[in-house]
Amino acid sequence: MAQRPTGVKTSEASASPARFRSKHLLAIGDLNRFEAEQLLDRAETFEPLLEQKVKKLDTLRGRTLINLFFENSTRTQSSFELAGKRMGADVVNMSVKSSSVAKGETLIDTAATLNAMRPDLLVVRHGSSGAAALLARKVDCAVINAGDGKHEHPTQALLDAFTIRQRLGKIEGLNIAICGDVLHSRVARSNVALLNILGANVRLVGPPTLMPTGAERWGATVHHDMRAGIKDADVVMMLRVQRERMDGGFFPSAREFFWFYGLDEDKLKFAKPGALVMHPGPMNRGVEIDSIVADDPKISLIETQVRMGVAVRMAVLEALAEPGSNQETR
Ligand code: CP
């Protein structure tokens, strides 16, 4: 893949939809390098559209996208909603709190009910790992995993990779440190997988209590000392401390976590000069990241990540809805 300087479009930037072998996007493992790069190229063609006054295409006119979120979300749900609407689809946001799920309907019954309405795309977030894959076996349409438990969040990884590529012109060969609560992070799992496919050198940094057993076999080096872990990094990607998934004491206090693993100006000096900072959001300020770093527009890509998410999700929706892109497996 040609490496491109920031903001420069190449003739290679795909003017046609990305093609998937897989019917669904449940995990980064559903993509090979060619497919992932095609998606990023396609997102590159959509990104300028988001700055225009009229932002709408009619590529998905007549198609129905259902957003089914069993867990809270600000960025992902609104981003899929916007992406679907920008592509001309009819978008339905299922409110789980006011749906029959609240009356005890099972996930499989919910899937059967939604399937009867013949959607074209189903975007699912659920607190249990494997829930999106289970739904995918019960419905006829394409399913996109918008985060399942501690398992994966593939479109977050795609938007992170897109953000890095747009800013630094490449991913191959970059040193990227993913830091903090790796144990509970679906974002970390998807990012390690995708960044490996795209040729980055990936490090995982965090306390032993928040590092999954066998993390060194994911395709990353594992570090427990933050300064050593981010040394000469081009990108430092912080993770949210996920207290809602913790059923015990993983660290003594937020204050102590910040002292050892919170990204502040002092620790960031160990990364490469000009290193960029990312965070998938929502942030715990003063726990995993200091506001001075998070809010510095010269180094922080956090708002850019959110913007890029819409373009990437447009590319994903288009690829999965495009007749013929994945017919072999339909
Ligand atoms: N990054 C992310 O998944 O954010 P939300 O939980 O707000 O969707």
Side-chain angles (χ1 to χ4, degrees):
M1 163 106 211
Q3 291 168 0
R4 70 208 67 193
T6 309
V8 175
K9 308 289 176 280
T10 70
S11 56
E12 189 187 358
S14 180
S16 52
R19 302 281 174 192
F20 276 17
R21 288 160 306 147
S22 173
K23 177 177 173 178
H24 309 288
L25 179 57
L26 303 175
I28 290 299
D30 289 331
L31 300 171
N32 59 28
R33 181 168 183 160
F34 178 73
E35 290 166 322
E37 287 183 340
Q38 259 201 332
L39 271 176
L40 304 189
D41 290 345
R42 188 62 173 157
E44 199 170 322
T45 67
F46 289 139
E47 202 248 323
L49 180 82
L50 305 177
E51 302 301 325
Q52 292 173 16
K53 203 167 181 180
V54 178
K55 303 179 174 68
K56 222 167 159 95
L57 300 172
D58 65 357
T59 317
L60 298 186
R61 189 148 52 97
R63 310 294 184 86
T64 305
L65 159 67
I66 299 184
N67 263 332
L68 181 61
F69 278 60
F70 292 87
E71 274 191 339
N72 294 340
S73 168
T74 302
R75 280 146 284 266
T76 312
Q77 182 167 356
S78 53
S79 173
F80 269 112
E81 182 177 354
L82 272 178
K85 287 179 173 170
R86 300 276 187 259
M87 301 295 281
D90 297 316
V91 181
V92 178
N93 285 311
M94 284 277 301
S95 170
V96 170
K97 283 195 185 82
S98 59
S99 75
S100 292
V101 172
K103 299 180 199 162
E105 187 170 74
T106 65
L107 182 60
I108 290 173
D109 286 341
T110 302
T113 304
L114 295 177
N115 196 46
M117 297 177 200
R118 299 286 179 260
D120 299 284
L121 296 148
L122 186 56
V123 178
V124 184
R125 170 170 288 190
H126 198 281
S128 298
S129 303
L134 177 66
L135 268 177
R137 290 201 292 277
K138 303 290 175 190
V139 297
D140 298 316
C141 66
V143 174
I144 300 166
N145 179 7
D148 61 331
K150 296 187 279 185
H151 176 225
E152 285 229 22
H153 191 351
T155 58
Q156 178 69 45
L158 285 163
L159 78 87
D160 289 340
F162 184 53
T163 304
I164 295 168
R165 200 181 80 166
Q166 290 297 87
R167 182 65 178 255
L168 295 178
K170 64 173 187 174
I171 291 175
E172 177 97 46
L174 293 181
N175 297 323
I176 302 180
I178 302 174
C179 311
D181 181 1
V182 180
L183 181 66
H184 300 103
S185 179
R186 53 200 180 203
V187 173
R189 279 167 183 76
S190 290
N191 260 301
V192 173
L194 182 61
L195 292 169
N196 264 301
I197 289 175
L198 298 175
N201 307 311
V202 189
R203 305 143 180 204
L204 289 169
V205 185
T209 51
L210 291 174
M211 193 62 68
T213 310
E216 49 290 329
R217 292 195 295 275
W218 292 10
T221 54
V222 172
H223 303 261
H224 299 304
D225 179 85
M226 179 85 170
R227 290 171 177 81
I230 67 173
K231 188 170 180 324
D232 296 329
D234 297 282
V235 177
V236 181
M237 192 182 286
M238 298 308 299
L239 300 170
R240 183 169 70 86
V241 171
Q242 302 200 27
R243 291 174 194 270
E244 77 279 13
R245 296 194 207 283
M246 294 183 186
D247 52 8
F250 287 84
F251 50 86
S253 66
R255 198 178 148 92
E256 188 157 314
F257 184 88
F258 184 75
W259 176 260
F260 286 105
Y261 294 101
L263 186 66
D264 56 13
E265 285 181 304
D266 179 52
K267 294 191 194 77
L268 192 56
K269 284 182 190 140
F270 286 79
K272 221 172 243 179
L276 298 168
V277 173
M278 301 177 76
H279 192 302
M283 285 182 277
N284 295 304
R285 292 172 182 267
V287 181
E288 70 260 1
I289 193 163
D290 188 41
S291 286
I292 290 175
V293 172
D295 298 335
D296 182 343
K298 293 192 293 301
I299 57 169
S300 172
L301 295 179
I302 296 167
E303 278 187 20
T304 311
Q305 287 171 265
V306 177
R307 191 157 50 81
M308 298 297 174
V310 179
V312 163
R313 287 172 177 131
M314 286 169 76
V316 169
L317 294 178
E318 180 188 53
L320 288 174
E322 181 69 17
S325 81
N326 41 31
Q327 259 175 357
E328 284 164 34
T329 50
R330 269 189 200 258

PDB file of all heavy atoms in Angstrom, residues 1 31 37 42 45 49 74 96 111 128 159 201 220 231 252 270 309:
ATOM      1  N   MET A   1       0.851  -1.196   0.000  1.00  0.00           N
ATOM      2  CA  MET A   1       0.000   0.000   0.000  1.00  0.00           C
ATOM      3  C   MET A   1       0.881   1.238   0.000  1.00  0.00           C
ATOM      4  O   MET A   1       1.809   1.368   0.791  1.00  0.00           O
ATOM      5  CB  MET A   1      -0.831  -0.059   1.283  1.00  0.00           C
ATOM      6  CG  MET A   1      -1.474   1.228   1.682  1.00  0.00           C
ATOM      7  SD  MET A   1      -3.208   1.120   1.334  1.00  0.00           S
ATOM      8  CE  MET A   1      -3.532   2.810   0.984  1.00  0.00           C
ATOM      9  N   LEU A  31     -11.571  -9.559   8.543  1.00  0.00           N
ATOM     10  CA  LEU A  31     -10.944  -8.776   7.472  1.00  0.00           C
ATOM     11  C   LEU A  31      -9.532  -9.259   7.217  1.00  0.00           C
ATOM     12  O   LEU A  31      -8.814  -9.616   8.152  1.00  0.00           O
ATOM     13  CB  LEU A  31     -10.841  -7.298   7.888  1.00  0.00           C
ATOM     14  CG  LEU A  31     -12.138  -6.547   8.202  1.00  0.00           C
ATOM     15  CD1 LEU A  31     -11.800  -5.188   8.798  1.00  0.00           C
ATOM     16  CD2 LEU A  31     -12.966  -6.386   6.936  1.00  0.00           C
ATOM     17  N   GLU A  37      -7.593  -2.206   4.143  1.00  0.00           N
ATOM     18  CA  GLU A  37      -7.055  -1.016   3.461  1.00  0.00           C
ATOM     19  C   GLU A  37      -8.069  -0.450   2.470  1.00  0.00           C
ATOM     20  O   GLU A  37      -8.176   0.769   2.305  1.00  0.00           O
ATOM     21  CB  GLU A  37      -5.730  -1.355   2.783  1.00  0.00           C
ATOM     22  CG  GLU A  37      -4.640  -1.525   3.844  1.00  0.00           C
ATOM     23  CD  GLU A  37      -3.263  -1.804   3.293  1.00  0.00           C
ATOM     24  OE1 GLU A  37      -3.173  -2.241   2.132  1.00  0.00           O
ATOM     25  OE2 GLU A  37      -2.300  -1.586   4.038  1.00  0.00           O
ATOM     26  N   ARG A  42     -11.753   3.854   1.150  1.00  0.00           N
ATOM     27  CA  ARG A  42     -13.130   4.279   0.865  1.00  0.00           C
ATOM     28  C   ARG A  42     -13.565   5.366   1.859  1.00  0.00           C
ATOM     29  O   ARG A  42     -14.214   6.343   1.479  1.00  0.00           O
ATOM     30  CB  ARG A  42     -14.057   3.063   0.949  1.00  0.00           C
ATOM     31  CG  ARG A  42     -15.465   3.327   0.487  1.00  0.00           C
ATOM     32  CD  ARG A  42     -15.539   3.737  -0.963  1.00  0.00           C
ATOM     33  NE  ARG A  42     -16.911   3.837  -1.436  1.00  0.00           N
ATOM     34  CZ  ARG A  42     -17.290   4.561  -2.479  1.00  0.00           C
ATOM     35  NH1 ARG A  42     -16.402   5.252  -3.166  1.00  0.00           N
ATOM     36  NH2 ARG A  42     -18.558   4.596  -2.851  1.00  0.00           N
ATOM     37  N   THR A  45     -12.552   8.751   0.868  1.00  0.00           N
ATOM     38  CA  THR A  45     -13.379   9.458  -0.120  1.00  0.00           C
ATOM     39  C   THR A  45     -14.627  10.066   0.543  1.00  0.00           C
ATOM     40  O   THR A  45     -15.196  11.007   0.035  1.00  0.00           O
ATOM     41  CB  THR A  45     -13.827   8.541  -1.287  1.00  0.00           C
ATOM     42  OG1 THR A  45     -14.720   7.543  -0.788  1.00  0.00           O
ATOM     43  CG2 THR A  45     -12.642   7.870  -1.957  1.00  0.00           C
ATOM     44  N   LEU A  49     -16.784  14.789   2.427  1.00  0.00           N
ATOM     45  CA  LEU A  49     -18.235  14.991   2.355  1.00  0.00           C
ATOM     46  C   LEU A  49     -18.784  15.531   3.677  1.00  0.00           C
ATOM     47  O   LEU A  49     -19.714  16.342   3.704  1.00  0.00           O
ATOM     48  CB  LEU A  49     -18.907  13.646   2.021  1.00  0.00           C
ATOM     49  CG  LEU A  49     -20.420  13.646   1.894  1.00  0.00           C
ATOM     50  CD1 LEU A  49     -20.830  14.126   0.510  1.00  0.00           C
ATOM     51  CD2 LEU A  49     -20.980  12.247   2.144  1.00  0.00           C
ATOM     52  N   THR A  74     -22.417   6.889  23.474  1.00  0.00           N
ATOM     53  CA  THR A  74     -22.617   8.221  22.900  1.00  0.00           C
ATOM     54  C   THR A  74     -22.071   8.216  21.478  1.00  0.00           C
ATOM     55  O   THR A  74     -22.797   8.414  20.502  1.00  0.00           O
ATOM     56  CB  THR A  74     -21.878   9.299  23.733  1.00  0.00           C
ATOM     57  OG1 THR A  74     -22.372   9.246  25.069  1.00  0.00           O
ATOM     58  CG2 THR A  74     -22.110  10.684  23.158  1.00  0.00           C
ATOM     59  N   VAL A  96     -33.515  -0.041  24.020  1.00  0.00           N
ATOM     60  CA  VAL A  96     -33.643  -1.310  24.757  1.00  0.00           C
ATOM     61  C   VAL A  96     -34.408  -1.102  26.057  1.00  0.00           C
ATOM     62  O   VAL A  96     -35.230  -1.931  26.445  1.00  0.00           O
ATOM     63  CB  VAL A  96     -32.243  -1.912  24.997  1.00  0.00           C
ATOM     64  CG1 VAL A  96     -32.326  -3.080  25.960  1.00  0.00           C
ATOM     65  CG2 VAL A  96     -31.641  -2.357  23.670  1.00  0.00           C
ATOM     66  N   ALA A 111     -33.966 -11.023  18.336  1.00  0.00           N
ATOM     67  CA  ALA A 111     -33.388 -11.184  16.994  1.00  0.00           C
ATOM     68  C   ALA A 111     -34.454 -11.639  16.006  1.00  0.00           C
ATOM     69  O   ALA A 111     -34.566 -11.099  14.897  1.00  0.00           O
ATOM     70  CB  ALA A 111     -32.243 -12.188  17.037  1.00  0.00           C
ATOM     71  N   SER A 128     -22.278  -8.774  26.685  1.00  0.00           N
ATOM     72  CA  SER A 128     -21.710 -10.130  26.717  1.00  0.00           C
ATOM     73  C   SER A 128     -20.873 -10.389  25.479  1.00  0.00           C
ATOM     74  O   SER A 128     -21.339 -10.172  24.344  1.00  0.00           O
ATOM     75  CB  SER A 128     -22.829 -11.175  26.769  1.00  0.00           C
ATOM     76  OG  SER A 128     -23.589 -11.018  27.938  1.00  0.00           O
ATOM     77  N   LEU A 159     -11.632   3.021  12.828  1.00  0.00           N
ATOM     78  CA  LEU A 159     -11.591   4.492  12.855  1.00  0.00           C
ATOM     79  C   LEU A 159     -10.279   4.975  13.485  1.00  0.00           C
ATOM     80  O   LEU A 159      -9.739   6.019  13.093  1.00  0.00           O
ATOM     81  CB  LEU A 159     -12.834   5.075  13.539  1.00  0.00           C
ATOM     82  CG  LEU A 159     -12.943   5.066  15.060  1.00  0.00           C
ATOM     83  CD1 LEU A 159     -12.298   6.280  15.691  1.00  0.00           C
ATOM     84  CD2 LEU A 159     -14.413   5.028  15.458  1.00  0.00           C
ATOM     85  N   ASN A 201       4.141  -1.772  14.945  1.00  0.00           N
ATOM     86  CA  ASN A 201       4.755  -2.448  16.092  1.00  0.00           C
ATOM     87  C   ASN A 201       3.922  -2.075  17.312  1.00  0.00           C
ATOM     88  O   ASN A 201       3.904  -0.908  17.715  1.00  0.00           O
ATOM     89  CB  ASN A 201       6.198  -1.976  16.301  1.00  0.00           C
ATOM     90  CG  ASN A 201       7.014  -2.111  15.035  1.00  0.00           C
ATOM     91  OD1 ASN A 201       7.005  -3.165  14.403  1.00  0.00           O
ATOM     92  ND2 ASN A 201       7.694  -1.040  14.636  1.00  0.00           N
ATOM     93  N   ALA A 220       1.802  -8.394  20.394  1.00  0.00           N
ATOM     94  CA  ALA A 220       2.258  -7.126  20.973  1.00  0.00           C
ATOM     95  C   ALA A 220       3.288  -7.458  22.046  1.00  0.00           C
ATOM     96  O   ALA A 220       3.256  -8.548  22.615  1.00  0.00           O
ATOM     97  CB  ALA A 220       1.085  -6.378  21.590  1.00  0.00           C
ATOM     98  N   LYS A 231       8.214   4.458  25.406  1.00  0.00           N
ATOM     99  CA  LYS A 231       9.478   5.028  24.903  1.00  0.00           C
ATOM    100  C   LYS A 231       9.491   4.982  23.364  1.00  0.00           C
ATOM    101  O   LYS A 231       9.240   3.956  22.756  1.00  0.00           O
ATOM    102  CB  LYS A 231      10.656   4.236  25.465  1.00  0.00           C
ATOM    103  CG  LYS A 231      11.994   4.859  25.165  1.00  0.00           C
ATOM    104  CD  LYS A 231      13.098   4.153  25.957  1.00  0.00           C
ATOM    105  CE  LYS A 231      14.478   4.719  25.725  1.00  0.00           C
ATOM    106  NZ  LYS A 231      14.796   5.184  24.418  1.00  0.00           N
ATOM    107  N   PRO A 252      -5.181   0.017  43.812  1.00  0.00           N
ATOM    108  CA  PRO A 252      -5.560   0.544  45.124  1.00  0.00           C
ATOM    109  C   PRO A 252      -6.472   1.763  45.062  1.00  0.00           C
ATOM    110  O   PRO A 252      -7.429   1.868  45.829  1.00  0.00           O
ATOM    111  CB  PRO A 252      -4.215   0.896  45.768  1.00  0.00           C
ATOM    112  CG  PRO A 252      -3.201   0.090  45.017  1.00  0.00           C
ATOM    113  CD  PRO A 252      -3.721  -0.063  43.633  1.00  0.00           C
ATOM    114  N   PHE A 270       8.580  10.674  27.278  1.00  0.00           N
ATOM    115  CA  PHE A 270       9.332   9.451  26.930  1.00  0.00           C
ATOM    116  C   PHE A 270       8.969   8.943  25.531  1.00  0.00           C
ATOM    117  O   PHE A 270       9.707   8.165  24.947  1.00  0.00           O
ATOM    118  CB  PHE A 270       9.097   8.357  27.980  1.00  0.00           C
ATOM    119  CG  PHE A 270       9.825   8.648  29.264  1.00  0.00           C
ATOM    120  CD1 PHE A 270       9.320   9.550  30.187  1.00  0.00           C
ATOM    121  CD2 PHE A 270      11.053   8.040  29.531  1.00  0.00           C
ATOM    122  CE1 PHE A 270       9.996   9.838  31.358  1.00  0.00           C
ATOM    123  CE2 PHE A 270      11.740   8.330  30.701  1.00  0.00           C
ATOM    124  CZ  PHE A 270      11.209   9.224  31.621  1.00  0.00           C
ATOM    125  N   GLY A 309     -14.869   8.552  12.702  1.00  0.00           N
ATOM    126  CA  GLY A 309     -15.749   7.397  12.921  1.00  0.00           C
ATOM    127  C   GLY A 309     -16.913   7.373  11.950  1.00  0.00           C
ATOM    128  O   GLY A 309     -17.343   6.306  11.497  1.00  0.00           O
TER     129      GLY A 309
END
